[in-house]
Amino acid sequence: MYVTVKMALVLISMVYLLKRKIAIGYVMLTASAILFIMSTRDLTIGYTAIMGTFRRQGTWEVIIAMYFVMCLEYELRTSGSLDGFMTATRQLFGSDRLLLAFMPALLGLLPSVGGALFSAPLVDNASSSYQLSAEKKTAINYWFRHIWEFSNPIVPALLLASEITVISLNVLIAHLAVYTCVGALLGWLVLLTGRNYHRENTLTKGQSDQVETTKDSYQAVKAILYAIGPIVLNIILVTGFHLSAAVSMALVVGVMVAVFRLRAAQIGEMLKESFHAKLLLGLLAIFFFQQVLSATWSVDEIVGLLRQSGVSPAVLITILTLTVGVLTGQMTSFVAITFPIVNVIAPGNINLVTIGYVMGVVGTMLSPAHLCLVVSLDYFKAGIINSLKPVALMAGIITVLVFILN
């Protein structure tokens, strides 16, 4: 029973601090301190957790990968590639309805904190052909950005899940990728069909003038390749050549430095501006929390308690990941908090790990604390309830599907 009180206090402190908008790094360090004090006062165990964090290869794999992700985002944004891509794809697609899904989905391939803020202006631009409510635009921007949470090899939550469960990233993605396909299909049917789209608009005069700048098909293709190429290359390097996420992202950033012909000063500026200390230290703190969980035997205590409850592992994992996902609203947080437990309940069981991951993602998508939802609501000036209604419907369908398939 004591372990229940201990973990409840840890979780409550996390949720409270996250809702107070405290940086994830400080949240995880606070949680680690509470867990350590309530479990033991043996400083040797604390030292073991600290050294285990710094010596673990996976720790630096994720941190370095995320740093280069931010470098790539900087390159694409400052080079004007994203703006050129918007103009070119509008010309080639000839349909703003496709752009509504494509723009947030493309930028969703490049995970960044609050990244929905980058795609929101593009969605707003593409929606000018239709009479869409602020809530509908919010849902479109929010949903399509996150369909890659199940299959993008540079998503931090996926990397964490793979590291914690010791299941190969390729194997994990192979079992989860179907939910990306389902998410895209559901998004189209629920968000991009209906009477608002019956009159498929051709380009307005302002848009037509914009397209004039990319009438040359070569320039249009070039703009698209500059925006999509590095993202696709990274996915190929990770899944096809089995390179680590850190090495792959470093290579992609290097290739784009050459493509954009960046000078030494520009490279230095990119490296400086892309170093987000709070985010990177936050990842380090997440790994430290995992080590404290292990060093204090807290995970084993929880598993023993859960097994004595007599509830099936699938139900336990579902309740755990869904609840923490809703409470935290952060993909990496739900994985860091719950997957050490999931891994002990179902070590190496890919079906139960799949259920846990999918339900955690569902929970975060329904969370009012999700940063991407918050920035989308703020940008479009939308109401949260009506924005989340279609999201809840699609999340419910995915929930049913994950239990049917596993």
Side-chain angles (χ1 to χ4, degrees):
M1 183 59 69
Y2 179 70
V3 68
T4 304
V5 175
K6 177 172 65 176
M7 294 311 301
L9 287 176
V10 170
L11 291 175
I12 289 171
S13 69
M14 286 182 177
V15 174
Y16 174 77
L17 292 173
L18 286 169
K19 288 188 176 298
R20 300 283 295 179
K21 304 187 186 305
I22 304 299
I24 185 64
Y26 299 126
V27 172
M28 300 307 293
L29 288 176
T30 301
S32 299
I34 293 173
L35 182 59
F36 178 79
I37 292 171
M38 295 190 69
S39 300
T40 180
R41 288 183 174 80
D42 186 349
L43 295 180
T44 303
I45 292 178
Y47 176 78
T48 300
I50 293 173
M51 296 310 296
T53 302
F54 285 102
R55 289 175 177 171
R56 187 179 181 185
Q57 181 179 347
T59 298
W60 303 109
E61 169 76 15
V62 174
I63 290 175
I64 293 172
M66 279 307 302
Y67 173 67
F68 283 116
V69 165
M70 290 183 282
C71 286
L72 178 58
E73 186 275 331
Y74 178 90
E75 288 177 324
L76 296 179
R77 175 165 46 84
T78 58
S79 67
S81 295
L82 292 180
D83 291 337
F85 173 74
M86 184 72 179
T87 304
T89 49
R90 172 170 272 129
Q91 176 191 13
L92 294 179
F93 285 174
S95 166
D96 280 352
R97 183 154 48 149
L98 287 174
L99 288 180
L100 280 170
F102 194 68
M103 289 304 168
L106 172 71
L107 293 179
L109 281 169
L110 193 62
S112 59
V113 177
L117 190 58
F118 295 125
S119 56
L122 302 181
V123 169
D124 202 25
N125 186 310
S127 69
S128 61
S129 299
Y130 314 105
Q131 294 182 340
L132 302 182
S133 66
E135 288 74 20
K136 177 63 74 68
K137 289 186 280 190
T138 295
I140 290 170
N141 189 49
Y142 184 49
W143 181 262
F144 282 102
R145 174 172 176 78
H146 292 92
I147 61 175
W148 305 112
E149 297 294 342
F150 307 105
S151 57
N152 187 351
I154 62 173
V155 166
L158 264 178
L159 291 169
L160 278 171
S162 175
E163 287 295 330
I164 293 171
T165 61
V166 200
I167 294 176
S168 167
L169 187 60
N170 294 328
V171 173
L172 195 58
I173 289 176
H175 281 77
L176 289 169
V178 63
Y179 302 102
T180 288
C181 300
V182 171
L185 178 60
L186 287 174
W188 182 267
L189 294 176
V190 174
L191 297 172
L192 295 177
T193 58
R195 60 184 181 183
N196 289 329
Y197 302 102
H198 285 168
R199 294 176 60 187
E200 181 70 22
N201 244 348
T202 53
L203 302 174
T204 66
K205 183 179 185 305
Q207 293 167 344
S208 178
D209 291 341
Q210 186 182 29
V211 165
E212 291 295 324
T213 62
T214 56
K215 270 193 171 182
D216 184 274
S217 59
Y218 170 77
Q219 292 298 326
V221 172
K222 181 179 178 181
I224 292 174
L225 287 178
Y226 274 10
I228 298 180
I231 298 172
V232 173
L233 175 60
N234 178 69
I235 293 174
I236 291 173
L237 290 174
V238 171
T239 60
F241 293 88
H242 306 292
L243 294 181
S244 70
V247 172
S248 175
M249 282 306 306
L251 289 174
V252 170
V253 169
V255 168
M256 297 313 295
V257 164
V259 169
F260 292 132
R261 299 176 181 177
L262 300 183
R263 298 185 298 274
Q266 293 173 307
I267 295 173
E269 186 69 15
M270 174 193 71
L271 296 175
K272 176 184 175 182
E273 293 296 322
S274 300
F275 186 80
H276 297 171
K278 284 187 178 180
L279 176 59
L280 298 178
L281 290 174
L283 290 174
L284 189 63
I286 287 172
F287 283 113
F288 176 63
F289 177 75
Q290 295 169 20
Q291 291 293 323
V292 173
L293 272 174
S294 175
T296 59
W297 301 95
S298 297
V299 172
D300 296 307
E301 292 174 355
I302 295 169
V303 172
L305 181 64
L306 291 175
R307 285 176 175 169
Q308 291 173 12
S309 68
V311 180
S312 72
V315 173
L316 288 175
I317 289 172
T318 296
I319 294 173
L320 183 66
T321 56
L322 179 65
T323 301
V324 175
V326 171
L327 292 175
T328 64
Q330 296 183 353
M331 304 290 183
T332 50
S333 295
F334 101 75
V335 172
I337 295 168
T338 65
F339 263 54
I341 302 171
V342 170
N343 191 44
V344 179
I345 295 175
N349 189 323
I350 186 63
N351 290 329
L352 291 181
V353 168
T354 297
I355 289 175
Y357 187 85
V358 172
M359 295 312 300
V361 172
V362 166
T364 60
M365 290 298 292
L366 297 176
S367 173
H370 193 135
L371 184 57
C372 287
L373 176 63
V374 172
V375 298
S376 295
L377 290 170
D378 181 69
Y379 182 88
F380 293 111
K381 308 302 178 187
I384 186 171
I385 301 299
N386 288 331
S387 296
L388 281 180
K389 281 181 179 178
V391 174
L393 172 62
M394 294 182 287
I397 295 173
I398 288 178
T399 297
V400 173
L401 182 64
V402 75
F403 280 96
I404 291 175
L405 296 181
N406 296 279

